[in-house]
Amino acid sequence: MTALNASSAAALEALTAVFGADVLPGDASPKYLQDWSGCAGGQPLAILRPRSTDELSRMLAICHAHGQAVVPQGGLTGLCGGAVPAGGEVVVSLERMNRIERIDIDSGTVIVEAGAILQTVQEACRDAGALLAVDLGARGSCQVGGNVSTNAGGNRVIRYGNTRDLVLGLEVVLADGTVLSMLNQMVKNNAGMDLKHLFIGSEGVLGIVTRVVFKLQPLPKGVSTAVVALHDYPAALRFLRHAQQSLSGQVSAFEIMWNDYLVTAVAAGKLRAPLDTNYPVYVLIDMHCGQPETDAGRFEAMLEQAIEAGWILDGAVAQSVAEAEAFWAIRDGVAEVLRDYAPTLNFDVSVPIAQIGECAARIRTELDRDWPALKALFFGHVGDGNLHVVVCKVPSDHDSQMRIEDAVYSVVRSYGGSISAEHGIGTLKRDWLHYSRSEAELALMRTLKHTLDPKNILNPGKLI
Amino acid sequence: MTALNASSAAALEALTAVFGADVLPGDASPKYLQDWSGCAGGQPLAILRPRSTDELSRMLAICHAHGQAVVPQGGLTGLCGGAVPAGGEVVVSLERMNRIERIDIDSGTVIVEAGAILQTVQEACRDAGALLAVDLGARGSCQVGGNVSTNAGGNRVIRYGNTRDLVLGLEVVLADGTVLSMLNQMVKNNAGMDLKHLFIGSEGVLGIVTRVVFKLQPLPKGVSTAVVALHDYPAALRFLRHAQQSLSGQVSAFEIMWNDYLVTAVAAGKLRAPLDTNYPVYVLIDMHCGQPETDAGRFEAMLEQAIEAGWILDGAVAQSVAEAEAFWAIRDGVAEVLRDYAPTLNFDVSVPIAQIGECAARIRTELDRDWPALKALFFGHVGDGNLHVVVCKVPSDHDSQMRIEDAVYSVVRSYGGSISAEHGIGTLKRDWLHYSRSEAELALMRTLKHTLDPKNILNPGKLI
């Protein structure tokens, strides 16, 4: 255990006096030291696992009184180090606050504690007859409080929006222990400033989310899925606009994969490609629908028009759930790619939709010029402007990695793009934040941080 | 002109020295004194009409230096007095900053100055091939900056969301003249706190919106519209959930009208009712779609299932655009009702969707008990939890009106509802704000106000 300064020792003593055996030692488990980014953490002072908002409020009041830094943790599936302790902080894990408090199908809402696992909540809502549309690969481990704190994205954003768009209400505990209850359940509420947005996507630096009201959607009665092949990005753009108009709000995923990515993912996962693997670009598209008997026909009519117009060159429509899952296995095959090509650098950027193709080409050119041997794979959520780039088997030294990051982020910056589309900033992207945000914006972020957390105890060193 | 205090005189002198004839006297036109609420304003010190963000920035810097209060104005269609000067402020009208700067169909975005008239922007986008889904009755007069500052709602929220959900980026001028450029164009951007939400719906008390990036939607290729009759609110709720599941994201309006409202609106507007007028409840539903030839069949199949299930008792599907407009004329007939039954008290509240029917019944009971002669009309946007109540020919004295407001808002409060679903707070609802927001929330609003505008020059006395 690292040496304690006086205030940390006093904080630990005060916490232990009130919460006794519920205060775990900082070395209780290695699981509190790392997130999915793998970035190295330091040992915390202690691990707190509140059972209720009230308990968390009292814990934070003690930490606040002693100026003790706190790192809130959800399911630790983040990719930017946002929940990783640097060392010496108190970790607050929400894992015991995991109750699904109320599913109200008539009102279209679910109220849930922050520590509930996303997939558990999804399944409970589905069993009750509704869709919780927040969805991402980490669904089996991530917690909804983390989804809210990082404004999680995923594959369904094109239809249902980001996590932010699906949050109706929040309960948050502020740095000094004040409980801010904003458990609104209505789609429309303009009674004063909408304060919940301060806490959505701000990675726990302004408050700790303890309860969430999500908006629910009707369960889709059917899903149609296809993989199509295209000549280039402009054709994908034409196809996107055509599909969105023809299916009018029902396009539920639109995942682009450049040839390199598809070929690599198919090989890494030992998968079967649904189409010839020589096409330049592929799109995985699906539609959530409500009258499957007629909707499948509309989906195919949309594809036929796209073939006739020359936007798509070939396509395969899934004839079964198993076939749709096989199509998705290619898009989700990034896990195997990352395993086979480690160490990788993974980029999660966004630029205006019209510029994605050009941006991808420029990133490729920049990388080829300085690192001609490096393999880079491109895929993403086109409808959201979100491009993922995996640079494979990168040099392991920090300096080379920074130069590669600079090359990619400089291109993104030139398009007015974002260096983090859906993963957040944490610690890993903090040094690049000024590529996407102006000095006036950064100054206002710092002002808000200072206003809500003047002692800088909440997740210090993260995001800003 | 009212007597000037020293700092106001100095502010006016400084503004005139820089902007000369562009500074209009406070009595230049009565149009700057009132919004659509009709609530009485006081004469401003002067009227400023900046031509650019830079000009506005320099104007605000001068006002800030002199502690001079400023009232930002858009199209003045607000219903809560949020843009009405109390007297002695400098009015900043955005009317000259009305350029549509860029419509980017491929990226699905439009960039527009805050003073542009909503309908002008809608039409420009439609001509370019896309839908700007922000829409409300005041479209021909309201400005997009006002839509953003009030997070305007309307009839299409059930499908496309509130104004907030359609804003990708903003440019805002802060109290001291700092220009905060956040002109993001991507659906996904998690690079730090999403600061734009501070300014959306906060009625100009934290900054003045000067530029907006809106997200565009595909233009619907067809619209199906029907009016249906139902036995009661629970049936309307069953029908809502059925329609949303069956049409899967394509329900584009779902407007409930209780019998009293429909009968009154038909009479006031000399309209033709599409169905027998003896049913307890009516719903106007429409669907925006992309394959009209098959989608009309899906719409009718959805209605037939609802009749078979007993949720709806009767229905009429519009066979032409003219017929759909005739159906909408009943819902939009509230203007004639307000004219015929003045003075009215108009409520814009929201409660969880499941509770709307019960809430409406309880409001009716409360009003009947104390004011048995008063006529109250109920209608609203059920899918958004939004209930409108018009109380007709109310006593003109302030005390009676406050008692009626208290009766209605007390019921709303008991459901955890909002005293303002879509119209905002302004001055007219400020005294009721604590019915919907906790002391901790109000304290944080005041803290944010003080942090961003320590001299309290931006729209003082509004919202909080």
Side-chain angles (χ1 to χ4, degrees), chain B residues 6-23:
Chain B
S7 66
S8 281
L12 187 58
E13 191 180 342
L15 288 165
T16 307
V18 179
F19 300 103
D22 274 359
V23 180

Side-chain angles (χ1 to χ4, degrees), chain A residues 106 188-189 191 238 241 437, chain B residues 106 191 238 241 418 437:
Chain A
D106 282 344
K188 283 184 179 164
N189 184 350
R238 297 283 85 71
R241 293 306 174 206
R437 306 295 293 267
Chain B
D106 283 344
R238 297 283 86 71
R241 293 308 173 204
S418 171
R437 306 297 292 268

Side-chain angles (χ1 to χ4, degrees), chain A residues 291 293, chain B residues 242 246 296-306 308:
Chain A
Q291 296 185 22
E293 56 289 357
Chain B
H242 163 69
S246 178
R298 287 193 302 123
F299 189 71
E300 285 175 23
M302 177 277 294
L303 291 173
E304 280 159 21
Q305 286 163 2
E308 279 165 29

Side-chain angles (χ1 to χ4, degrees), chain A residues 104-108 150-151 153-154 157 159 162 164-165 178-182 185-195 197-199 201-203 205-206 218-219 221 237-238 241 244-250 288-291 294-295 298 301-302 350-354 381 383-384 386 416-425 433 436-438 440-441 444-445 447-449 451-452 463-464, chain B residues 104-108 150-151 153-154 157 159 162 164-165 178-182 185-195 197-199 201-203 205-206 218-219 221 237-238 241 244-250 288-291 294-295 298 301-302 350-354 381 383-384 386 416-425 433 436-438 440-441 444-445 447-449 451-452 463-464:
Chain A
D104 180 342
I105 295 297
D106 282 344
S107 293
T150 59
N151 185 29
V157 170
R159 171 152 179 187
N162 291 293
R164 181 186 303 279
D165 303 295
T178 300
V179 178
L180 193 64
S181 177
M182 312 170 283
Q185 298 178 63
M186 291 80 69
V187 169
K188 283 184 179 164
N189 184 350
N190 280 340
M193 301 174 199
D194 198 344
L195 301 170
H197 292 286
L198 278 171
F199 306 97
S202 55
E203 304 185 28
V205 307
L206 300 180
L219 270 183
K221 294 194 97 169
L237 200 42
R238 297 283 85 71
R241 293 306 174 206
Q244 286 188 309
Q245 182 163 50
S246 178
L247 303 180
S248 192
Q250 296 182 336
H288 283 177
C289 67
Q291 296 185 22
T294 53
D295 290 329
R298 288 193 301 124
M302 177 277 295
S350 60
V351 296
I353 295 172
H381 320 283
D384 319 322
N386 188 182
S418 171
I419 60 140
S420 187
E422 53 180 5
H423 296 166
I425 298 299
L433 185 54
S436 291
R437 306 295 293 267
S438 66
E441 289 176 287
L444 181 50
M445 288 184 211
T447 298
L448 290 172
K449 170 68 174 171
T451 300
L452 273 85
L463 193 146
I464 39 175
Chain B
D104 180 341
I105 295 297
D106 283 344
S107 293
T150 58
N151 184 29
V157 170
R159 170 150 180 189
N162 291 293
R164 182 185 303 278
D165 304 294
T178 300
V179 177
L180 193 64
S181 177
M182 312 170 283
Q185 297 178 64
M186 291 81 69
V187 169
K188 283 184 180 164
N189 184 349
N190 280 340
M193 301 174 199
D194 198 344
L195 302 171
H197 291 287
L198 279 172
F199 306 97
S202 56
E203 305 186 27
V205 306
L206 300 180
L219 269 184
K221 294 194 97 167
L237 200 44
R238 297 283 86 71
R241 293 308 173 204
Q244 286 188 309
Q245 182 164 49
S246 178
L247 303 179
S248 192
Q250 296 182 337
H288 283 178
C289 67
Q291 297 185 22
T294 54
D295 290 329
R298 287 193 302 123
M302 177 277 294
S350 60
V351 296
I353 295 171
H381 319 283
D384 318 323
N386 189 182
S418 171
I419 60 138
S420 186
E422 54 180 4
H423 295 165
I425 298 299
L433 184 55
S436 291
R437 306 297 292 268
S438 66
E441 289 177 286
L444 181 51
M445 288 185 212
T447 297
L448 290 171
K449 170 67 175 173
T451 301
L452 273 86
L463 194 146
I464 40 174

Side-chain angles (χ1 to χ4, degrees), chain A residues 47 54 85 109 112 143 205 225 263 268 355 393 411 435:
Chain A
I47 317 290
D54 175 63
T109 55
V112 60
Q143 297 174 7
V205 307
T225 307
V263 169
Q355 266 92 57
K393 296 192 174 175
V411 174
Y435 276 36

Side-chain angles (χ1 to χ4, degrees), chain B residues 313-327:
Chain B
L313 305 173
D314 197 2
V317 178
Q319 301 299 316
S320 64
V321 171
E323 211 166 17
E325 285 172 356
F327 292 178

Side-chain angles (χ1 to χ4, degrees), chain A residues 172-184:
Chain A
V172 173
V173 182
L174 301 180
D176 64 359
T178 300
V179 178
L180 193 64
S181 177
M182 312 170 283
L183 293 169
N184 167 66

